[in-house]
Every structure is written in C-alpha cells, then in structure tokens.
Amino acid sequence: MSSDDETPTADGGTASQSEAVEDGQSEEHPLEWDEPENNDKAPDERASVSHRTEKYDDRKLVTGQAKYTADYEEQYPDLAYAAVVRSDIPHGRVTDIDTSEAEAMDGVDAVLTPESDAVPDAKYTSAGQSYPEPSPWDMHVLNEHVRYIGDPIAAVAAENRATASAAAEAIEVSYEEDDYVTDPEEAFDDDAPQLFEDGEVENEIVGHDYDRNRMAHIGGELGDVDAALDGETHVHETEWETIRQSHANVEKHTSLAYTNEDDRHVLITSTQVPNHTRRQLAHLFDIPIRDIRVQKPRVGGGFGGKQAMVVEPIPLSLSLATDRPVLYEASREEEFYAMRSRHPMKVKAKTAVTDDGDIEAIDIYALSNTGAYGSHGMTVAGNVGSKPLPLYSKVPNARFEADIVHTNTPQTGAMRGYGAPQGTLALEGHLDEVARDLGLDPIEFRRRHHMEVGDLDEIAGMMGGEGANRRIRSCGLDECIERGKDAIGYDDLEQPDEDHLHRGIGMALSAQGTGVAGDELGAAQIMMNEDGSFHLQVGGVDIGTGADTAFLQIAAEVLGCDEDDIIVKSSDTDVTPFDYGAYASSTTYISGMAVKKAAEDAKARILDWGSKLLGEPVEALETGDGTVYSEASSDSVTLEDIGYEAAYGDDEREHILGKGSHCTEESPPPFAAQFADVTVDETTGEFEVHKLVVAVDCGVAINPGMAEGQIEGANHMSYEMAVSEGITLDDEGRAEVADFDEYGLPPATETPPIESILVETHEPTGPFGAKSVAEVPTNTVPPALSNAVRDAVGVRVREMPITAEKIKAQLDERNP
Amino acid sequence: MDIELTINGERTTVEAGSADDLATVLRQHGHIGVKCGCDGGTCGASKVFVDGDVRMACGMAAVDADGSEIQTVAALGTQDDLHPVQQAFVDNFAVQCGFCIPGMVIQAVALLDSNPDPTEREVREALDDNVCRCTGYQKPVEAVLDAAERMRGAQSVAADGGHSATVPPNGNESTRCCGGGCDE
Ligand code: FES
Ligand code: FES
C-alpha cells in the first residue's frame, strides 16, 4: 500500500553489519560496561534489593486509608464538580451552543464553550511525552470542529455531580455535519472525508499527508530486503489484526484544580506524567511553569491511559472561571469512548526463509488507526517494529514501515506494551506458522535465531539513526524458554480421551526496552534527619506498580539502613525533583538509578562523618545494618549518631543531603517467553485455556514479589487482548460499551491460572542489575494462544480476538 | 431526610436526599475506603457490609440503609493490626494500585465467613464481580486461599481472633498455592 511512498526516517537506516559487529565489539557500543563497583552484588550480599520487602503503601491500601484524587474532595468544602458536553456526531462543525437553560439552573457556577475567556485557544497534544513532543499539536481543549463521537465541546461546573450532569445535558449543540470515515483503509481513498487541512496542524510529524488522512509514515531498512525476498527462499506472508483495547483502569481519570493563596495553580491529579502535565498546561494556558503545581496522590492504575493530559485542562479552566476548586471525574462510559485506547492495527509480516530454516529477511508493515487525533501515533507505531524485531537481530535483512491514519473514531494513546503487542502478535504468529510449514519445531526454530548476549541490535539504529544501535549485555532467553517449557509441561503433554478434543501448546517470545534511550531524565534527592532516618524525594511516579517501594529498597541498599527508616515522597512538582514520568518501562531503571546516585551522594557525606567520628579513613568504612563500620577495627558508629552529630555536633555542622540525576543512551531489553496450554473442541471451535506460563528476564528483580505481580497483571491484560472484543464501534464510530460488564474484561473465573517465572540475569547499566518488567509480558498471549490453537487443531486465527466462531469457521472450511 | 446509620461501630445521623446512593453518602462522611470505579454495579469497588451482607454501596439508595449497620474495609483491621485477609493480601503481594482492594477484601472476608475452606474455584467465583485491572487475579486468589489457611489455623490454635499471631515471617514463600496449576 505504501511501498511507493518515500520513506522518511530519522536516519536513512541502512546501518551495515560492520566488522566490529562481527567480532562482537564496537567502540561506540562496547559489550564491557564501566559498572560501578558495588552495582553487581551476589544474592547473599544483598541486604535490601531482590528481597520481598512489604510494599510501602500496602497497609494504607488494604485498610482503605490511602488517598486517590477523588478522596481529596472533603478537604475542599467549596468544591465544584465538572461535567463535559461531547460531540454526538462523528464529524462536523458546531454552529451554535445554546447554554441558556444550563446557565439558569440552580447550583450551576459556570458554563464554558470554545469562545469563553477561560478556555485556552492554543493547539496541543494530549500525549505526555518528552519535549519537543513527538506527537502533533492537533487538538483544542474545547472544539468547534468535532472529529469523533466524544470530542469535548463545552464544560460546566456545578455544586454537585448531579447538577453538573443535568446542566451538561441541558446544553443544546447544533452542527453542520460532514462526511466521516471510520475504516483506516478507506481513510486513504482520494474521496475520503478529510479530518485536517494541510497546514492546520502544528508540530506535524514526519511523513504526514493530511490530504490522505495520514498523520505520519515511518520506516527503516537494514540490508536489502527486496533482494532477499527475490532470492532462493520460501517467501511467506501473513496479516494480523488487533483490537481497540481499553486501559480499564479501575480509578477513572480524575483531576482537581484550584488556585491557592500564593496565586499558584494546583492540580491534584491521577497522572503518570506530573512534569509533562505541568509543561503542557503552561503552554496551553500561557502560565509560567513555576506557577503550576502538579501533585500526584495514589493512582488507581494508569497503563499508559494516564500518560496523557486527558482531563486536566477542564477543571483548570473551570476553576479559573469560577474561582473555586473544581473536581472532574470522568464517567465510566466516558472512559470507554472519550479517554484513550490502544491503537487498533493491521500488521503484515513477510519473511524469506531458506530450505534449511535460515531466516534471510523479515519485512513488517503496520497500518495504525490513530483515531481522530494523533497522540502517541508515530511513537507507538514505531515500536511495532523496533521492539519485537530485535529478537531476531541476527537476521541480515529487515524492514519496517508504518502508516498512521486518522479516522473519525475515538482517540487512541499510549498503552502498556506501546505498539509491541501488535508487532509481537504479527512476528511471533508468523514465525510460528513458517516453522510449522517447514516442518520445524517452532521452539527450536526460534532458538536458532534469537538474540544473545554480545549481539548488536541494529534495529534500534534502523529506526532512530545509526548511533542508536544497542549492545545486548544481558539476555536470559534460553533460560526463559527452558523453564517455561518445563512449567507448561511441553514435553509430556497428554491428549484428552475424547476424540474431538485436542490439546496444544503455543509459545511466543518478546522483547521490550527499558526507558527511552537518550530521551529521559529522572532525579532524586535524599535528606538525612538528625535521628539517622531519611527523606527520599523522587520525581519517579508510582501509579500502583510499587515504584516507591523499589526506590526505598535501592536507597536502603546503598545507605545500609532499614527500609522503614526512609520516608518516600514521590511526584509533587513543588517538592520532588524533575522526572519524565512513569512510562516506557523506565521507572525502576531511570528514576531508580537517580535514587541510587542520590543515595551514593548522601553516603559519601555519611562516610565522611563516620571517618571523623571513628578516626579511620573513609576507604576503610562501609555502611550496613544502620551503621558505618570498619571491617579492619570492628568499630562502628550508628547512622543515628551521625545524623545527630551532623545536625547538633560541635563543629562544621551540616545537613546531610544527596542528589542524583540520571539519563542514559541505553535501553536494555527485558525478555520473555510465553506459553499457553489450550484444549480445542473440534466440533464447536470452543476452547479452554488451562494455563498461561510466562518466564521473564528482567535482570535483577528489585522486589521479586512485586515483579511477579507486574508480570501476572500484564499477562492478564495480554490475555484480554487475545480473547476479548475490546471497545467495539458502530458504523459512525460510536463506542458500543458503556460499562465493565459490556466491555468484557476476563473476570476471575474466566482467567486461567497465570504462572510467572523470574529468570535472573544482570544488566550492568541498571541499578543493581535491574531492567524493566511491567510491559514485556503484555505482548505475548495473543501470539502464544494463536499458536496453541494452531498446534491443537491446525487452524490459524490471525484476527483478534480468538473466538470459538472463528476457529469453527476455519475448521469448517478445512473439512467442508 | 435524616437517616440513622451505624458506620464501623459509630452511630451517626446523616442527611441524604432520595437520589443519593449509599457510596456517595459514606464518602461524604470521610469513609474513603468505599471506592467508586464505575457508575454503578459493575466493578465491585464500592462493596461494604450492610447488616452483615455484602452490598455494592453505589447501587443502594442511602435512604434504604436507614437504621442499618455498615462496615467498610476500615472496620476490619488497622494498619498495625490487620485482619488476616488484609495481612494475606499484603504478604502475597496481591495489592498493586489498591483501588479495587477494599471491595476485594470485603468480598473475601464474606466468603471465608461462610466457607472457611474454599477451593480455588470457589475463591474465583466469589471475586467474579470484583474488577481488578492490575493483578490478573493470580495473587489475590492466592491471598484469599492463604488467609483461609491462616484463619483455620488460628481457630484451632489461638483464641485471639488470629490477628497476626499465626502469620509466618515470610508469608509469601511458605504460602503459595500450587503455583497456579490447580484446576479444580
Ligand atoms: S462503584 Fe460500585 S460497583 Fe463500581
Ligand atoms: S490493584 Fe489496581 S485495580 Fe486491583
């Protein structure tokens, strides 16, 4: 579809297999890493990391004391509540908004339309990303040109929720309707309705062609794929389709705004990206960054849905208009049609494979439906190729291209896995099929090709410029496969007694990144109290993953104290240092490394004081068990004594402080091997998934209990992608789901047991050897289940979700 | 109108309009352990005990609760002295964002009150209308089975209600269920 289009990529993307790569080294990307001495601790030397430390906030959470955004309600007796009027046509212009009835209602404080003074006019993107933002500025807070059913048009504030909703309903909107398009392939047609005029969008993205509703086109190539496809090989091609998945965070998007006594604008908000939100609000409202404070309380799940400034401008506009604090809590229905979702995609995979089973070339093309606006459109599509392809980075020729198109459908955005689930389905499903067609064992086939320690991943360079190649310094794929096979019982699978039932096992590999190479920053500071305890202030954002606990464990490991002796304060832009936020699997790696550096910095001061008090040189001292001790003399002094001495002692008093910032060019991939065990009924297509096993190499798990939880939750989300319809739309692009029952998240009884296996490796660039864990197991169930069904009954479902009807239809086709 | 409620052991008179649901009224009076994750009846986050029965507080008119005894998750245990179910959730890493957890804990306590020795299947059935987006239910199910074991142990050896005394030092290692492989 796009092969004749030019392919603008950040770099022409033809990095070659240089000699340096062949001998396993290159100066720019060496295998050896200059690792700090104390970063690689043997398991029995670890006092705090890799222990199952109790989660920092758990006692508050299980007793219902922890505060999420909506729980601040009672602190603001003057609080007003927001409701939003949204477009109920897929495409058109608002010609009139009649607010008279709403304004006349008792208890209504403000009604805002795109014309109102308090409503910013600037264009922006809701995507909460680095700056300059890699998403187009294509939307307004309130819109006159509406592009999907759900586009915000007007907002009200009222003294209670019911009045706010009633007032919103009383507002009459008149439209001039335009033609609309909801199918991403049709959106390319010459006569398709156009969502944006050329030149209308600011900060536009590479490869855009708004005449054809194309927001971006990206791609890159290694070697010569066409030549390989024309060679003496088997060429296979398959096409895959994924669902529009909802984040379904149980806490809805919620945000509370007010202006405080210092004339500063405060947002208490359920976000993954406090600092990006502050910057975006400053841009929109033309307020200096310093005058905005974003506070993140407990967050009830984000999964990427809150890596976006989805709701914050509404309560801020309303609070500016009313001079009252305003709370906006999206409804559950709005969550499904007007917040964000995973980009639904069609992905084509093509390979050239020799008779002997050598893969000569891989060619992936993705068509991504970004919906009405382009938030995260290009970057998510980029990951369709750049995350899974490195698994097979030994393959000499590789190409990836993607078109990202607008349709009049709800907005998409970041979601856990971030393009990797779509790409992993296509690649891992495709390779499985190729192996079976060639009569090869699909697992052995993968083993022959998958990435290993020492490999240079040139796919990252293919997408981001040659300098972005990365060296693989830790890889536990073989152990993941081995232990996963054992756990699922791959070698001694028993078939059911009934003839019409067939059991099969499918597997899939996955790789992700850890943070965005060269494009993130985390920072932290640590203050020592005079009783020897610490305050850790960190910009890193805990959205329910347990990040605060991981930070504590990292700090405690360095400082040699108990985790209980550290108070953590994360994510309040007035108090905590800068951080890019919780996304891209970066929190433990980037923010955690900042914490480690801050702790090392504080430790250096502590050792100085220890040296003074013990009369021994700093080099002879170490921290541990709440003390500074000397192995040579067996003398020690407690941290409490040091804290006291530093604050109240006789000479040269000092507040012991440590600070650390971290950014890096590295983004080491974590790896996973997924297994699914399924029985399919050949007569009906019905299937039962007995068990999911996923083995993950996340380096050193800072807290194994939390890491398992992340893996199992991610795998459940991945399972949903394989078996649920997601957010279905009618012909006009209207979401057909309004609540959890209609959405069909697999509940406890319909979720197979999930076994998580931690495979420990050591990533020298990560804090104490850690890589990421939260995303990689989100990618693998759709291909593993598709592969398992193929293994059981020989038919292949490529269009998610996998249903009995689809299996049955193919069985019928095979045996008419 | 004024209604009388006994909330977590404390008798109070609260004002409630005919359209007010119980969740809103409880939250307005500071009982933030009652969570609202949907717009009624499909997530289970707002579960509380009303006269001993589990109810979704969002789906019940406050006036219908007049005269009732309400227990929220806050009544079950304190941070220093958790209910065995709460303790098991903590020890099994069954809590991530925590938003669904008050409702889950209430439901789990109700299950174990009526069925002290549930199978894994029975635990899953009990939690079937408690939506959790974070955990995939694996660890919550393990936590409830673990809590059941602790509470049975406590009943047979202790008279203190089983609070914490029977909690093994490293609950997680010693109390995992079959590792996810059970399929009853
Ligand atoms: S808020 Fe009551 S069930 Fe969801
Ligand atoms: S722990 Fe987050 S929804 Fe259950």
Side-chain angles (χ1 to χ4, degrees), chain A residues 501-705:
Chain A
L501 297 181
H502 301 276
R503 195 163 170 197
I505 287 183
M507 77 93 69
L509 300 183
S510 177
Q512 194 84 24
T514 304
V516 187
D519 204 22
E520 281 196 280
L521 167 66
Q525 59 191 19
I526 286 179
M527 310 191 291
M528 189 179 200
N529 298 312
E530 62 269 40
D531 63 354
S533 65
F534 298 90
H535 275 269
L536 168 61
Q537 295 162 322
V538 51
V541 186
D542 189 332
I543 53 171
T545 58
D548 284 355
T549 314
F551 297 150
L552 288 182
Q553 290 179 258
I554 290 168
E557 184 74 42
V558 174
L559 295 166
C561 67
D562 203 273
E563 293 100 18
D564 288 347
D565 290 331
I566 307 178
I567 308 288
V568 64
K569 171 73 193 167
S570 68
S571 318
D572 172 343
T573 58
D574 262 20
V575 179
T576 57
F578 197 89
D579 194 285
Y580 275 34
Y583 59 90
S585 282
S586 69
T587 307
T588 301
Y589 186 71
I590 302 278
S591 314
M593 193 59 111
V595 169
K596 183 163 184 270
K597 288 180 174 176
E600 303 277 8
D601 197 29
K603 179 180 169 183
R605 299 305 312 132
I606 289 167
L607 291 181
D608 256 3
W609 279 89
S611 161
K612 225 186 287 185
L613 294 174
L614 292 171
E616 291 192 54
V618 164
E619 301 72 53
L621 303 177
E622 209 13 284
T623 54
D625 287 333
T627 68
V628 170
Y629 64 91
S630 156
E631 212 145 308
S633 68
S634 316
D635 274 359
S636 67
V637 55
T638 63
L639 295 180
E640 189 173 353
D641 284 344
I642 289 176
Y644 184 89
E645 200 56 32
Y648 299 119
D650 290 336
D651 50 29
E652 293 289 319
R653 286 183 282 266
E654 159 184 19
H655 188 183
I656 294 178
L657 296 169
K659 66 178 169 53
S661 283
H662 190 63
C663 51
T664 173
E665 295 297 324
E666 299 293 316
S667 176
F671 296 98
Q674 172 83 51
F675 293 80
D677 173 2
V678 70
T679 293
V680 184
D681 183 332
E682 206 174 26
T683 55
T684 61
E686 273 156 22
F687 60 96
E688 187 186 346
V689 182
H690 305 292
K691 188 176 176 179
L692 298 170
V693 170
V694 57
V696 179
D697 155 26
C698 64
V700 170
I702 299 294
N703 184 320

Side-chain angles (χ1 to χ4, degrees), chain A residues 104-115:
Chain A
M105 287 170 73
D106 269 357
V108 170
D109 288 302
V111 180
L112 300 182
T113 69
E115 305 282 296

Side-chain angles (χ1 to χ4, degrees), chain A residues 52 68 71 332 720 749 753, chain B residues 35 37 96-97 128 133 172 180:
Chain A
R52 291 175 187 263
Y68 303 79
D71 301 327
R332 181 50 61 186
E720 182 213 330
T749 49
Chain B
K35 298 294 176 205
Q96 292 189 26
C97 81
D128 221 29
R133 183 41 139 174
N172 197 66

Side-chain angles (χ1 to χ4, degrees), chain B residues 35-38 40-46 56 58:
Chain B
K35 298 294 176 205
C36 294
C38 62
T42 62
C43 77
S46 65
M56 297 197 200
C58 66

